[in-house]
Amino acid sequence: MRNWAGNLAYAAHDLVRPTSLEELADVLAVGGPVRALGSRHSFNDLADTTGTHVQVDGLDDGRPAVDLDTGTGVVSVNAGLRYGELSRALEAEGRAVTQLASLPHISVAGAVATATHGSGDSNRSLASAVVGLELMTTAGELRRITRDTDPEVFAGTVVSLGALGIVTRLELATVPAFQVRQDVALDLPWQTVLEHFDAVTGSAYSVSLFTSWDEPTVRAAWFKSVVSDGGGRRPEPVPGLPWAEHDVHPVPGVDPAACTAQHGVPGPSHERLSHFRLDHTPSAGEELQSEYLLPRRHAAEAIEAMRALGPRVAPLLLTGEIRTIAADDLWLSPFGEDSIGLHFTWHPRGAEVAALLPVIEDALAPFGARPHWGKVFAADPVALRAAYPRFEDFRALADRFDPQGRLRGGYVARLLG
């Protein structure tokens, strides 16, 4: 069995899909290594195990898969549900999540556990919407942890890398449903982006800048703007932006049919905030991905450092993306302050990408860059431990929830030691 991209063969000897909490408890009672597996969108062995993989997408705990409390706006969700499915169900109830990642195909639990994010100066990671979660420990104990009832440890249980238990359900804050329009500008001069970075990224609810790093301009800027009262105008962060007259895909030369609607056509937020449509396959999966997150205050310097590496990066790159993310308080989230993300979608040339990653990480190290947990990177576990001030608190929490270390497989085993 392989991951979504096909670059990793899992070491697990078994995959189980329990249909009830009792079945899940029986799986855990057998003993041995075990790990939760979501939509398989991790590009490294973070979710791997030499034992049993558990998927909870078919689990029925006696409650609806999407259970909205209309009084509080909090929705309780089956952990294996995909964000696109959740968003459609919420839209039917007049609600929405505040942010989505590029793909709506990823599972809620997997995205939360790895601090996956979208873009937007005021938008935090997907994990920041969590107000409570339920998980089953390796001892078979079902635990519910919320921000209100467990304030001392809650921030350590959300971005957990799957090291605390099998998450069965998450509770997310929602907002009233809203409409978004998407407009794409082409060929923004780098000088404009660097001199007016705050104006560019702050001109819409969500902004993504696409580049191959060796180009003389930012190839495309995707602006996703909230539409109020049926209106809404195209953003103008700087005068004279050249707007695309045709649909655009993030990867040059690829058919944009899989992309969400552009040219300012309003639609539900979940049909615009992701770059790709739920009912389309965004690519064949034959790619690798990396991403580095760093404080926004270093944006200009980090971008210039990457531009200097452009001639080395571009031949291996399908596309690069610059995003912004607001700060949160979660222990293993890389967003301790307002941040930018430098994302790389690579050709599936693993050895060449692996050789280049240390070069990129050295260039970004002065700016406090940390890798996305679920992408490919070179940073060793010792360096990553030191990059998270609450790491030792998290290790203690993992020891308490999983004293036998049964959940420590793949990169998590190397990280926790």
Side-chain angles (χ1 to χ4, degrees), residues 18-33:
T19 59
S20 68
L21 292 173
E22 292 75 20
E23 284 187 19
L24 176 58
D26 289 343
V27 170
L28 294 173
V30 172

Side-chain angles (χ1 to χ4, degrees), residues 1 14-15 23-24 44 49 54 68 90 95 100 108 140 142 167 189 191 229 318 328 335 351 386 399 406-407:
M1 185 173 64
D14 198 12
L15 170 67
E23 284 187 19
L24 176 58
N44 60 33
T49 178
V54 177
L68 178 67
L90 286 176
R95 305 294 292 184
L100 290 169
V108 176
L142 187 65
V167 176
Q191 184 176 355
D229 301 323
L318 288 165
D328 62 42
F335 312 117
D399 288 342
R406 293 173 58 197
L407 295 162

Side-chain angles (χ1 to χ4, degrees), residues 229-306:
D229 301 323
R233 295 180 300 174
R234 193 164 59 188
E236 254 340 304
V238 293
L241 289 182
W243 296 101
E245 297 180 358
H246 53 83
D247 287 345
V248 176
H249 192 284
V251 179
V254 175
D255 185 346
C259 296
T260 48
Q262 302 168 20
H263 312 295
V265 179
S269 59
H270 70 91
E271 295 180 0
R272 299 293 182 275
L273 292 179
S274 290
H275 297 334
F276 299 102
R277 304 173 191 263
L278 178 62
D279 52 359
H280 284 63
T281 301
S283 75
E286 295 180 353
E287 62 188 48
L288 300 173
Q289 292 183 14
S290 302
E291 187 175 33
Y292 297 96
L293 301 314
L294 54 103
R296 183 190 178 106
R297 54 193 162 90
H298 296 311
E301 300 162 284
I303 289 171
E304 290 288 28
M306 281 309 311

Side-chain angles (χ1 to χ4, degrees), residues 5-346:
N7 68 298
L8 176 69
Y10 291 120
H13 64 70
D14 198 12
L15 170 67
V16 296
R17 285 190 167 95
T19 59
S20 68
L21 292 173
E22 292 75 20
E23 284 187 19
L24 176 58
D26 289 343
V27 170
L28 294 173
V30 172
V34 63
R35 291 282 286 162
L37 189 65
S39 54
R40 308 182 192 181
H41 201 255
S42 287
F43 292 80
N44 60 33
D45 65 346
L46 185 80
D48 205 5
T49 178
T50 56
T52 300
H53 267 142
V54 177
Q55 285 191 256
V56 297
D57 51 350
L59 191 147
D60 181 358
D61 62 1
R63 289 171 286 176
V66 178
D67 191 8
L68 178 67
D69 184 328
T70 56
T72 64
V74 171
V75 64
S76 178
V77 182
N78 179 298
L81 203 66
R82 298 186 300 171
Y83 266 99
E85 296 160 343
L86 166 62
S87 297
R88 287 178 174 177
L90 286 176
E91 182 192 6
E93 299 289 340
R95 305 294 292 184
V97 291
T98 60
Q99 187 53 265
L100 290 169
S102 298
L103 300 179
H105 310 72
I106 56 178
S107 70
V108 176
V112 164
T114 54
T116 295
H117 61 94
S119 188
D121 288 3
S122 299
N123 294 323
R124 299 182 298 171
S125 73
L126 302 182
S128 295
V130 177
V131 297
L133 57 86
E134 295 177 21
L135 61 80
M136 188 172 287
T137 69
T138 50
E141 178 189 9
L142 187 65
R143 298 192 56 176
R144 178 173 180 260
I145 302 157
T146 76
R147 185 177 284 276
D148 290 338
T149 60
D150 306 276
E152 297 85 5
V153 300
F154 174 79
T157 64
V158 181
V159 180
S160 68
L161 313 182
L164 305 182
I166 307 297
V167 176
T168 60
R169 188 165 281 269
L170 294 114
E171 299 166 25
L172 312 176
T174 68
V175 297
F178 59 103
Q179 295 241 317
V180 171
R181 60 175 289 163
Q182 182 167 226
D183 299 274
V184 178
L186 303 177
D187 297 321
L188 278 68
W190 278 111
Q191 184 176 355
T192 297
V193 171
L194 293 172
E195 290 182 0
H196 304 281
F197 189 76
D198 290 348
V200 171
T201 64
S203 64
Y205 185 79
S206 173
V207 176
S208 291
L209 308 175
F210 290 97
T211 176
S212 292
W213 294 110
D214 66 338
E215 299 160 318
T217 62
V218 172
R219 183 177 66 252
W222 290 33
F223 297 91
K224 303 169 190 273
S225 308
V226 173
V227 177
S228 301
D229 301 323
R233 295 180 300 174
R234 193 164 59 188
E236 254 340 304
V238 293
L241 289 182
W243 296 101
E245 297 180 358
H246 53 83
D247 287 345
V248 176
H249 192 284
V251 179
V254 175
D255 185 346
C259 296
T260 48
Q262 302 168 20
H263 312 295
V265 179
S269 59
H270 70 91
E271 295 180 0
R272 299 293 182 275
L273 292 179
S274 290
H275 297 334
F276 299 102
R277 304 173 191 263
L278 178 62
D279 52 359
H280 284 63
T281 301
S283 75
E286 295 180 353
E287 62 188 48
L288 300 173
Q289 292 183 14
S290 302
E291 187 175 33
Y292 297 96
L293 301 314
L294 54 103
R296 183 190 178 106
R297 54 193 162 90
H298 296 311
E301 300 162 284
I303 289 171
E304 290 288 28
M306 281 309 311
R307 291 184 66 202
L309 291 177
R312 300 182 65 177
V313 170
L316 295 177
L317 200 63
L318 288 165
T319 190
E321 183 179 0
I322 302 170
R323 294 183 277 189
T324 60
I325 311 96
D328 62 42
D329 65 347
L330 306 175
W331 294 358
L332 291 193
S333 163
F335 312 117
E337 60 182 275
D338 289 349
S339 303
I340 66 165
L342 305 179
H343 189 278
F344 305 82
T345 301
W346 305 103

